[in-house]
């Protein structure tokens, strides 16, 4: 096992490290109004879409910033259309039921098979209660880190699969 594999294993098994990564994701992707003039406010949406594509399969599309009726990610898979919304929130801001209601409304309107809401934070108890039975996955910050680690692992496996087999020396 090489250094990268050892580090990945340590990250995936150590809860303090996962919490550090979760906070780091929030700080990396939070919207800074001063920086937003130069930066891309859709970076977290793109990050989440890439992870979803790698971990769940299918194809994802990040919607434009306005006129998307509350949907940030469209995922097309063998099971059908899945609609997602992402929220880059700090620990002090739990995601309420509003984004779930929006995703559910759009699922019905577009005939989607399911949906999800992804956050760097967590969800309120009302959000968890509201989402029951709606086929909407609530993916909190800790789960985002787990998915990210799965994504990195899958990416690592793909890269290793592309490496040439060493030639035997005579």
């Amino acid at each position: 096992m090489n250094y990268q594999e050892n580090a990945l294993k340590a990250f995936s098994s150590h809860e303090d490290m996962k919490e550090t990564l979760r906070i780091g994701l929030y700080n990396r992707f939070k919207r800074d109004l001063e920086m937003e003039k130069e930066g891309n406010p859709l970076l977290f949406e793109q990050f989440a879409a890439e992870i979803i594509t790698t971990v769940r399969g299918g194809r994802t599309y990040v919607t434009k910033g306005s006129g998307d009726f509350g949907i940030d990610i469209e995922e097309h898979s063998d099971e059908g259309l899945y609609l997602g919304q992402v929220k880059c929130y700090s620990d002090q801001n739990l995601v309420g039921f509003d984004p779930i209601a929006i995703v559910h409304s759009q699922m019905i309107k577009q005939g989607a098979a399911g949906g999800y809401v992804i956050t760097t934070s967590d969800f309120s108890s009302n959000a968890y209660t509201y989402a029951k039975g709606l086929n909407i996955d609530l993916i909190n910050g800790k789960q985002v880190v787990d998915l990210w680690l799965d994504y990195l692992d899958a990416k690592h496996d793909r890269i290793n699969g592309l490496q040439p087999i060493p030639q035997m020396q005579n």
Side-chain angles (χ1 to χ4, degrees):
M1 195 179 283
N2 67 27
Y3 177 75
Q4 278 184 316
E5 290 169 339
N6 282 331
L8 189 59
K9 186 176 180 181
F11 281 149
S12 63
S13 64
H14 195 270
E15 293 303 314
D16 288 342
M17 184 57 70
K18 287 181 182 181
E19 180 63 7
T20 300
L21 290 171
R22 185 192 65 75
I23 293 168
L25 284 175
Y26 165 72
N27 284 311
R28 175 180 174 194
F29 292 114
K30 69 181 177 182
R31 288 190 172 178
D32 183 341
L33 296 178
E34 291 299 314
M35 297 296 290
E36 202 169 290
K37 294 173 188 169
E38 301 167 15
N40 183 349
L42 301 177
L43 287 177
F44 185 57
E45 288 89 340
Q46 293 166 349
F47 172 81
E50 188 171 343
I51 288 173
I52 291 293
T53 299
T54 302
V55 174
R56 292 174 43 134
R59 297 176 333 277
T60 56
Y61 168 75
V62 176
T63 64
K64 58 185 177 181
S66 61
D68 59 12
F69 301 104
I71 298 302
D72 298 320
I73 300 172
E74 293 179 7
E75 175 192 352
H76 301 272
S77 71
D78 292 341
E79 292 82 34
L81 174 65
Y82 286 79
L83 302 174
Q85 191 176 104
V86 299
K87 298 290 181 190
C88 187
Y89 285 175
S90 71
D91 286 346
Q92 291 79 27
N93 296 316
L94 297 178
V95 177
F97 68 88
D98 293 349
I100 300 159
I102 290 168
V103 169
H104 186 248
S105 171
Q106 287 300 314
M107 283 170 52
I108 292 170
K109 198 172 188 179
Q110 297 184 40
Y116 43 85
V117 179
I118 300 172
T119 184
T120 53
S121 180
D122 203 350
F123 297 90
S124 70
S125 59
N126 285 342
Y128 282 111
T129 301
Y130 189 84
K132 283 185 184 170
L134 297 180
N135 201 27
I136 297 174
D137 294 327
L138 302 184
I139 303 169
N140 67 26
K142 290 179 181 180
Q143 293 165 313
V144 170
V145 169
D146 287 335
L147 289 173
W148 185 29
L149 292 171
D150 290 345
Y151 161 80
L152 292 173
D153 198 27
K155 192 173 178 181
H156 178 263
D157 289 347
R158 261 197 320 258
I159 290 170
N160 279 346
L162 296 175
Q163 291 181 350
I165 299 171
Q167 298 295 320
M168 293 186 64
Q169 300 275 334
N170 288 344

